[in-house]
Amino acid sequence: MLRHNLLLIYRNFKKFKSTFFINLIGLSTGLACTLLIYLWVKDELSVDKFLEKDSQLYQVQEHRVKSNGIWTSPTTSGPLAETLTSEMPEVEYSASVTRPDRITLSVDDTNLKTLGRSAGKNYFKIFSYRLIDGNRDNVLTDKNSIVISDALAIRLFNTTENLIGKPIELDNESKLFVTGIFKKMPLNASDQFDFVLSFEKFKEGRSFLETWNSTSVLTYILLKEGTDVKAFDQKIKDLVKVKTDNNVTHRTLFTKQYSKNYLYGKYENGVLTGGRITYVKLFSIIAIFILVIACINFMNLSTAKASRRIKEVGIKKAVGAARKTLIYQYLGESLLLSFLSLLLAILIVDIALPHFNIITGKYLALNFNPALILSCIGVSIFTGIAAGSYPALYLSGFNPATVLKGKINTAIGELWARKGLVVFQFALSVIFIVSVLVVYKQIEYVQSQNLGYNKDNVLYFPREGKMWQEEPLESFIAGIRAIPGVMSSSSISHTMTGHNSGTYGVVWEGKAEDDATEFENFTVNYDMMETLGIEMKEGRTFSKEFGADSSKIIFNEAAIEFMGLKDPIGKTVKLWGEEMQIIGVAKDFHFESLHEKVKPVFFRLEPGDTYLVMSKLAAGAEAETIGRIKDYYQKVNPGFIFEYKFLDNEYQAQYVAEQRVALLSRYFAGLAILISCLGLFGLAAFTAERRLKEIGIRKVLGSSEFGIVYLLSGDFTKMVILAICIACPVSYILLKFWLSDFAYKIDLTAWYFVGAGIMALLTAWITVGVQAIKAARVNPVKCLKDE
């Protein structure tokens, strides 16, 4: 019986080749998209979930009340970790940790600049990273200790064995000793680094880490099993207030499970509103929709070709075939086609995966483990049943007496259902098209927006070695300026890409006592503002021509407006208790992404507190200029590796998630339209075949080819127009929500929706037109012949 059914299925596929290939291509494309998105979503959901004590591992964060709402910060005070261990019995271990930074490590003549961080002594007790060598209880107890990854050990020593106690030089100055070796971070770890230093070493010369007013470190804790996290949060909520004798009332502490930081990292006014999880949900929905579009094709084409299978159904029923048997046969066809589509989809994914990894920035692979195999089989079975259930029920329900006469009564409901499915397909396609257009234009907008400073051809690199001394720094910058191709050069505390160094220590006349608004603090050297092309609204920048400017300050327009100062030039404010005279007001510029509004900023002159050297290069000869800078750098700073970045690349990196969404949306929209058009193509072919005699009669009576084309494409045109009318308001609501995440955004004009509708309509016309023209050109004699 099974062999007989398989033979029938094979003959059916062979008989209806066009339907078979349309369904195969549509289903395989839909399954390939689903499989790619499944791999990506699975990887996203696995980030940081590999840690042994995931349920007990938390990060302490802060809500900070400002005049315009609540800002949530991942950084906390230096003394917090030790205080939690000593005063909170719920805490098993805690550690202060710095953000990863690139630092030069040296062994003999080998100098490497690699990513590392400093951490408290309990770091490896909190994080269960695998130690190849060393004891996690004491690897960071000595301030001169360094724990390195096995990958870094190979690069420095060419081995991972017998390295405990081996010396490594830090920045060609401090000598550290290897106390442990850990397995390189897995790919699904959000934190990637190659070494860990003692936090006690990092604290040397940084007295601010001992105060509660400073917030510059990350604090991680391991809670004891069974701890009530909500009760613990209430207990530590006002700890900063207590430790500062009630001076700091705007900072409240709370905990967040470490593994949730990656997907749930976005806060608005102190409330968790999402993060990367938004895109995980978005692409999961897209995968479902694309698969649904492919299933709709199968349903429509199967029911549309019913007229060509009515005799088969009638004969089988006449000789005693039960309806259940027919349902199993047609579901078998659907399931077999689904499994064939799955095999083709796996081949497509295998070919597309390298390019998909480039787009997503991941290292996904088709590893056929039990989970993936079961998932693929499950999706394939679901697709086969979903796509084949309606055709199976529809075909098996024919009356044998009626169908053997060659007649089939098509119910009005069935016609409307088929048309409704086409409308649904194209509505989704139009939503995809509008989304692609709007996302593309928004990304283009943020990339071309005037930021208030010139980011183009600005190269920067960190101060290292001799440059940490102020006089050699000035001499070094002067040497950089003398290099052909360098237009200007100076130094600054941090880049212009995001919040880095804020303070609420600015006091002005009329400031409210409870105001704790943070001002972004840019520490600069002479000529830094000129190098960045920051324009002044009034006043001047820092200049040696006016003597010492260390007691002077420059604000941006947003700061002056916030403070309510009229005629600010010459007025004084207090910064951390010291009087500072305002000498200039800079025009507003975007030091954060366009997700954020421009915030209050001030500049102060303190060359010794700058950490990056920035140089403006002349356009057209960047490669030659960089080569000269590198030669000069290595001559002045031997033993250090010259690593640089461009400011415009750093700016673009802020929108990497949006850029990936834009590119992926473009691909998925194209595939959704392709699948929809395949179905439309098949339906148009069957419609033309079913109306072949009508076409012949019309041609005999004098109808033109254009009239025939218009007749056949009219119904499809109405369906696509209805889809456009449904899709436009839906896409408007969705895109309005997406754009709300940007403080500066494009306007959703009607042209995006009109353009998407026209594109969908033209695509449908071309698809249907091919079949309509073919039918219109058929010889009417052939049309009117009996079988």
Side-chain angles (χ1 to χ4, degrees), residues 160-179:
T160 59
E161 298 179 358
N162 302 318
L163 297 182
I164 302 300
K166 295 286 186 180
I168 296 177
E169 280 195 344
L170 174 70
D171 283 338
N172 289 296
E173 292 180 355
S174 307
K175 185 165 284 190
L176 306 174
F177 297 92
V178 177
T179 55

Side-chain angles (χ1 to χ4, degrees), residues 492-718:
I492 191 170
S493 55
H494 55 275
T495 64
M496 317 291 283
T497 52
H499 173 77
N500 280 275
S501 177
T503 179
Y504 56 89
V506 180
V507 180
W508 61 93
E509 186 178 351
K511 180 180 180 179
E513 290 185 6
D514 61 345
D515 185 278
T517 301
E518 286 197 5
F519 286 58
E520 185 73 9
N521 169 20
F522 280 98
T523 307
V524 297
N525 204 339
Y526 290 106
D527 299 324
M528 189 65 249
M529 297 178 72
E530 288 80 357
T531 298
L532 290 172
I534 296 173
E535 297 182 11
M536 302 297 293
K537 182 182 179 183
E538 55 183 309
R540 65 176 179 86
T541 60
F542 301 114
S543 174
K544 294 179 180 178
E545 295 178 5
F546 294 87
D549 269 346
S550 57
S551 62
K552 307 296 191 292
I553 195 168
I554 298 171
F555 289 99
N556 69 341
E557 293 175 280
I560 296 298
E561 182 182 353
F562 176 77
M563 293 186 290
L565 298 180
K566 305 295 183 184
D567 301 320
I569 305 301
K571 290 185 177 179
T572 60
V573 298
K574 285 189 176 181
L575 177 62
W576 305 313
E578 295 184 17
E579 281 201 356
M580 307 286 285
Q581 184 184 36
I582 301 173
I583 61 168
V585 178
K587 290 184 179 180
D588 281 340
F589 61 94
H590 296 276
F591 66 90
E592 294 180 296
S593 75
L594 295 189
H595 289 283
E596 308 290 337
K597 291 185 177 180
V598 175
K599 296 184 177 68
V601 170
F602 68 84
F603 295 89
R604 63 187 181 92
L605 181 71
E606 193 64 54
D609 284 346
T610 58
Y611 301 97
L612 300 173
V613 176
M614 284 191 178
S615 300
K616 177 78 173 177
L617 309 185
E622 291 89 349
E624 295 86 345
T625 306
I626 292 170
R628 296 185 193 108
I629 294 174
K630 180 180 179 181
D631 292 340
Y632 175 71
Y633 179 93
Q634 291 178 337
K635 179 181 177 183
V636 174
N637 229 13
F640 288 87
I641 298 169
F642 178 65
E643 279 192 356
Y644 65 89
K645 293 181 180 179
F646 277 100
L647 197 57
D648 56 350
N649 291 337
E650 285 295 291
Y651 174 76
Q652 300 296 349
Q654 297 177 103
Y655 305 103
V656 66
E658 287 83 1
Q659 289 167 345
R660 285 172 179 166
V661 167
L663 192 55
L664 287 173
S665 299
R666 214 174 303 167
Y667 283 115
F668 292 138
L671 290 172
I673 295 165
L674 171 66
I675 296 169
S676 298
C677 288
L678 281 172
L680 205 59
F681 183 85
L683 281 177
F686 281 114
T687 300
E689 183 180 342
R690 192 173 66 246
R691 302 178 71 174
L692 207 56
K693 287 188 178 181
E694 178 190 348
I695 292 169
I697 293 170
R698 286 179 180 273
K699 291 194 76 173
V700 168
L701 295 175
S703 180
S704 66
E705 289 186 0
F706 177 78
I708 300 297
V709 171
Y710 179 79
L711 173 71
L712 293 176
S713 60
D715 284 345
F716 293 110
T717 300
K718 291 173 186 176

